[in-house]
Structures are given as C-alpha cells and as structure tokens.
Amino acid sequence: MIRSVVRGFGAHLPDRIMKNSDLEGVVETSDEWIVQRTGIRQRHIAGEGETTASLGEMAARQALERANMTPADIDLIICATSTPDNTFPATAVNIQNRLGMHHGAAFDLQAVCSGFIFAVTTADSYIKSGLAKRVLVIGAETFSRILDWNDRTTCVLFGDGAGAIVLEAAEGEGTTADRGVLTAHLRSDGAHRDKLYVDGGPSTTGTVGHLRMQGREVFKHAVGMITDVIEAAYAATGIGSEDIDWFVPHQANRRIIDASARKLGIDDSKVVVTVDHHGNTSAASIPLALAEAASDGRIKQGDLVLLEAMGGGFTWGSVLLRW
Ligand code: UT7
C-alpha cells in the first residue's frame, strides 16, 4: 500500500514581534485579558515586502533541505492560505516561481484555519492515486493584513507565519505500524459561514475586506467538532488516545486546545502548544507547531502524531500519521 511519508519540515516567522503590551496602545485591551482568554503572549507581523509567498518560500526551502531534496524532486505544490498575495494567480505558483521550479503543478487550497489538514489530505490522495510522488505542502498566512486593527475582539488573536512539509510516496504494509498518513477526515458546514468570515471579496464588494468573528459562537462549536473528527480517526484505525505520542492541534486558543485534550483523554505532556508565541496563524499553525516539536527533538521518527483543526466555514478535520 502506498503511504505519504513526511520527509522534511520547515517554518518561518517574520522578524517583527508584537507583544500583548504593544496592543494595549492600539485597542482597549490588556496583557492579562489576552493571556487569560487565549494563552497568547505575542505574535509575529509581516514587514514591508514580506508576503504570504515570501514566508511560504522560506518554510518550503527549509523543508526541502531537511528532506535532502531540491525543487527538481517535487511534482506538486499545495499552498493552504486564506491570505493570498493576489486574488490570482495562486500563491502556490508564486512560491513555485520563487523556488525556480517550472515543472509540475501548484495550486492554493482555501479552508481557512483547517487549510493545512485539507492540504495534507489532498496531497495524500494525489500520492495514493499515483498522480504525484513528492508533494510540498505549505500553510502560509499574513492575517495581519486582513485584521481590523480597531476591533479588539479579533486583532489580538492572529499573527503571520508559514510552515511546510514534504510528503513522499513510500511502500507500506497497510497497517498502523506504517510510517506516513494513516487516516484523514474532513468536514465542512456552510450553515456556519457568518460566524467567522471576511466582509469583502472580488465578487461581492470588490475589496479585500476584514476578518469578522463571533468568537463565543466559534468557541461553542470548536471542541465538539474537533473531538468528532478525532473519534472518526480512532474508529478508522483502532487507535486510541493512549496510543498517541504527540497531539498537534491547530493553535487558535489555549483554552480550546486544553478542553479538546481533556475531553479526548490525551495527557498534557503530549500536547504541542505554540499559540503563546505566535498567536493564531490559521493554515500555518499546524506546520509551525510540527516544525518546532520535530526540530527540538520531541517528535521522532516512528511517533504517532495526531493533527486537528477547526475554522471558518466552518471547516474541520483530523489527520493521523506516523512520523
Ligand atoms: O481558528 C479558529 C478561529 N477562532 C477561534 O478559535 C476563536 C474562538 N473563540 C475564542 O477564542 C474566544 O471566544 C475569544 C478569545 C475570541 C473571546 O473569549 P471569550 O471568553 O469568549 O470572551 P467574550 O467574547 O465572551 O467576551 C468577554 C468580554 C466582553 O466584554 P463584556 O461584553 O462582557 O463587557 C468583550 O467585549 O471581553 C471583552 N473583550 C475584550 N476585553 C479586553 C473582547 N475582546 C477583548 C480584548 N481585550 N481584546
């Protein structure tokens, strides 16, 4: 059976750091409120000349280097983003061009905060069907550019950054002992579209728009949706929380992460948390967290890693993989 195995990972955050205390001068808020409600202490903000593609390119280069590959080895680039450089062409083709890659295919995938989960699942399908052998999967965002900096209920929550992995086709036994993606579960329900959205777009207002969110409503649905797709992953594989080595959730809010882990019975010591130092980076948050935990030696080859995300749409999903 063909499996999609992680061969490399990369991450890139802009140099500029905005601490909670810096936001106290922008909107009526406090470090205490932000830390208590979200666990966020600081976020990175893209500077002049930095774009989603430039952040994505840096993460992609690192992932390729760690995989011991060059762009010539890649046949598909998928970039998960909700903050593309332009309405079109896709940010993925900008990254492809920046990498000096002029073969294969590149496209963007839009599932907001669940984008990386959707992109890994799509890459896995391309690999399993034989349509691609090596896929560069990127999550890259510049949410600072779509925030309303007068709205304290949203502007304190998000940040910019990019993460990437390289997935390669490898022969497996078809058991859960295989390395690679073991199972993936995607969901969406557009009935919730107005709980987290951007109030502009090319076909409606002709503007880029700003992020709008009913935070409490999102919070209310998050834990149930997350645990639902994780239980689907458990049911498909016979794996349970006790088998998981690392839980790498979408980094939106510390309270959602803790409540999900508690409900699933995953021990705190197995949860990778990075939201404190880069806020919610939407599609970039999972590959950023993966890169941090893999580069500091926590995630090791053979470890069972559980990924999940939930975000605008709503969209939500899980990926269970052996590193
Ligand atoms: O990736 C998925 C995307 N999003 C999420 O996962 C976010 C999900 N939601 C959340 O994380 C939380 O709902 C928030 C962090 C957004 C808000 O936390 P909350 O505990 O649900 O607060 P709340 O919205 O119920 O607001 C409580 C109070 C309100 O004041 P009143 O009406 O009680 O007087 C807000 O106006 O906190 C106020 N408030 C703030 N105060 C200081 C809202 N934002 C701020 C702020 N600083 N930045």
Side-chain angles (χ1 to χ4, degrees):
M1 178 177 187
I2 299 174
R3 295 288 196 190
S4 310
V5 176
V6 179
R7 297 295 189 206
F9 56 88
H12 185 74
L13 291 162
D15 288 340
R16 184 177 164 213
I17 290 174
M18 191 183 269
K19 294 187 184 309
N20 290 348
S21 55
D22 299 327
L23 279 161
E24 290 174 0
V26 179
V27 285
E28 201 182 322
T29 191
S30 64
D31 175 54
E32 190 194 357
W33 190 95
I34 301 170
V35 172
Q36 209 174 61
R37 304 282 176 138
T38 72
I40 298 166
R41 294 183 183 276
Q42 62 173 46
R43 69 287 294 139
H44 292 247
I45 304 290
E48 211 178 309
E50 278 179 313
T51 69
T52 297
S54 77
L55 302 179
E57 177 200 355
M58 300 295 275
R61 286 191 185 279
Q62 263 185 36
L64 286 168
E65 200 178 314
R66 282 206 175 89
N68 208 12
M69 291 181 198
T70 70
D73 299 312
I74 299 297
D75 35 38
L76 176 65
I77 299 176
I78 306 177
C79 180
T81 188
S82 301
T83 44
D85 286 12
N86 302 93
T87 302
F88 73 80
T91 300
V93 299
N94 290 348
I95 296 172
Q96 180 189 28
N97 191 46
R98 282 167 171 273
L99 293 173
M101 177 177 157
H102 303 289
H103 65 278
F107 62 84
D108 284 0
L109 191 153
Q110 221 280 55
V112 203
C113 296
S114 311
F116 189 74
I117 296 287
F118 278 61
V120 168
T121 306
T122 305
D124 183 47
S125 303
Y126 271 77
I127 287 173
K128 284 212 171 95
S129 66
L131 280 172
K133 289 234 170 326
R134 298 190 187 100
V135 186
L136 182 55
V137 186
I138 303 165
E141 303 279 16
T142 46
F143 260 53
S144 66
R145 306 255 159 89
I146 57 161
L147 293 174
D148 175 352
W149 288 96
N150 295 310
D151 177 10
R152 68 174 182 174
T153 68
T154 53
C155 76
V156 304
L157 303 173
F158 296 88
D160 303 335
I165 59 171
V166 176
L167 287 174
E168 184 178 36
E171 201 55 50
E173 299 294 322
T175 72
T176 56
D178 288 346
R179 285 187 68 197
V181 175
L182 300 177
T183 192
H185 299 267
L186 302 183
R187 288 296 323 275
S188 62
D189 183 355
H192 299 286
R193 64 169 308 287
D194 60 354
K195 297 187 177 82
L196 176 49
Y197 68 104
V198 169
D199 63 3
S203 172
T204 49
T205 58
T207 63
V208 172
H210 290 117
L211 182 149
R212 305 291 174 206
M213 177 167 72
Q214 300 172 35
R216 218 175 300 179
E217 283 298 309
V218 179
F219 200 105
K220 218 167 70 187
H221 287 86
V223 177
M225 289 177 163
I226 289 164
T227 50
D228 172 53
V229 281
I230 289 175
E231 274 157 11
Y234 290 169
T237 55
I239 280 165
S241 286
E242 63 284 1
D243 305 310
I244 302 299
D245 293 302
W246 295 105
F247 179 43
V248 187
H250 167 50
Q251 308 285 321
N253 181 319
R254 181 71 201 241
R255 283 154 63 207
I256 296 175
I257 295 173
D258 289 348
S260 307
R262 209 173 310 125
K263 189 166 172 197
L264 290 158
I266 299 175
D267 195 77
D268 280 355
S269 62
K270 295 179 171 182
V271 185
V272 177
V273 180
T274 55
V275 68
D276 54 324
H277 52 272
H278 57 61
N280 183 347
T281 56
S282 189
S285 92
I286 293 174
L288 278 168
L290 276 176
E292 186 169 309
S295 57
D296 68 19
R298 274 177 288 171
I299 299 179
K300 294 183 197 63
Q301 191 171 312
D303 280 355
L304 201 49
V305 182
L306 176 62
L307 316 177
E308 61 79 0
M310 180 264 186
F314 290 148
T315 54
W316 64 107
S318 67
V319 166
L320 182 62
L321 62 87
R322 195 172 290 284
W323 196 255

